[in-house]
Amino acid sequence: MLREIPSILSPDLLHALRAMGHGDELAIVDANFPAQSLAQRCLRLDGVSATEALSAILTLLPLDSFDPMPALTMEVVGDAAQIPPVVVEFQAIIDRVADHPARLGALERFAFYQRARSAYAIVQTGEFRLYGNIILKKGIIQP
């Protein structure tokens, strides 16, 4: 055990977060997402919601301050203007926890899949709420 590191973050996930560089992306996805078939590295957090994962990860991961949208969610298929409750929670967590709070952007479903495919890693959670998917771009820690 280590102090001040959320216990839901696995050793493999901690390694990935540390190994990522500025501009690398991390996808946190729900239980329905095709993570195994898309990921370069698939890390599992079974039994953990996407919102719990986001909150824990943002305590360690700086968001990119050079990108106006360093956090992206998936649009609702057929209704891009709809904002699912889980996405409202994502925004509240970013506002509360992130070192660089930012407004969420959104990508069409297949554009989200493509972006996740190129992410450094995909974290598959046990999230059952639909559209519980978010991509984070890693920033820097200022000297």
Side-chain angles (χ1 to χ4, degrees):
M1 295 298 288
L2 298 171
R3 279 191 261 155
E4 299 185 34
I5 295 178
S7 62
I8 64 170
L9 300 180
S10 69
D12 290 337
L13 179 50
L14 290 171
H15 179 267
L17 293 174
R18 179 63 177 102
M20 290 171 64
H22 177 225
D24 281 341
E25 293 183 327
L26 180 78
I28 301 168
V29 300
D30 63 31
N32 291 304
F33 193 87
Q36 289 290 341
S37 63
L38 293 180
Q40 296 178 51
R41 293 166 196 83
C42 184
L43 307 167
R44 298 193 64 94
L45 288 180
D46 297 308
V48 174
S49 72
T51 49
E52 290 170 319
L54 177 64
S55 185
I57 288 166
L58 285 179
T59 66
L60 304 175
L61 182 83
L63 283 181
D64 192 343
S65 60
F66 299 115
D67 188 327
M69 285 190 287
L72 301 165
T73 61
M74 183 188 294
E75 291 177 350
V76 173
V77 175
D79 188 359
Q82 182 182 345
I83 302 174
V86 68
V87 173
V88 172
E89 284 188 54
F90 286 158
Q91 184 65 67
I93 291 165
I94 288 170
D95 292 345
R96 186 176 66 252
V97 180
D99 64 324
H100 173 68
R103 302 303 321 156
L104 286 171
L107 296 171
E108 179 274 332
R109 176 183 170 207
F110 292 107
F112 189 96
Y113 286 173
Q114 275 304 116
R115 190 76 170 253
R117 183 186 304 276
S118 65
Y120 183 86
I122 297 177
V123 179
Q124 179 118 53
T125 68
E127 181 64 66
F128 285 112
R129 291 175 288 180
L130 299 178
Y131 299 99
N133 307 300
I134 186 167
I135 297 173
L136 305 173
K137 184 178 282 190
K138 187 176 183 181
I140 61 171
I141 298 174
Q142 295 290 338

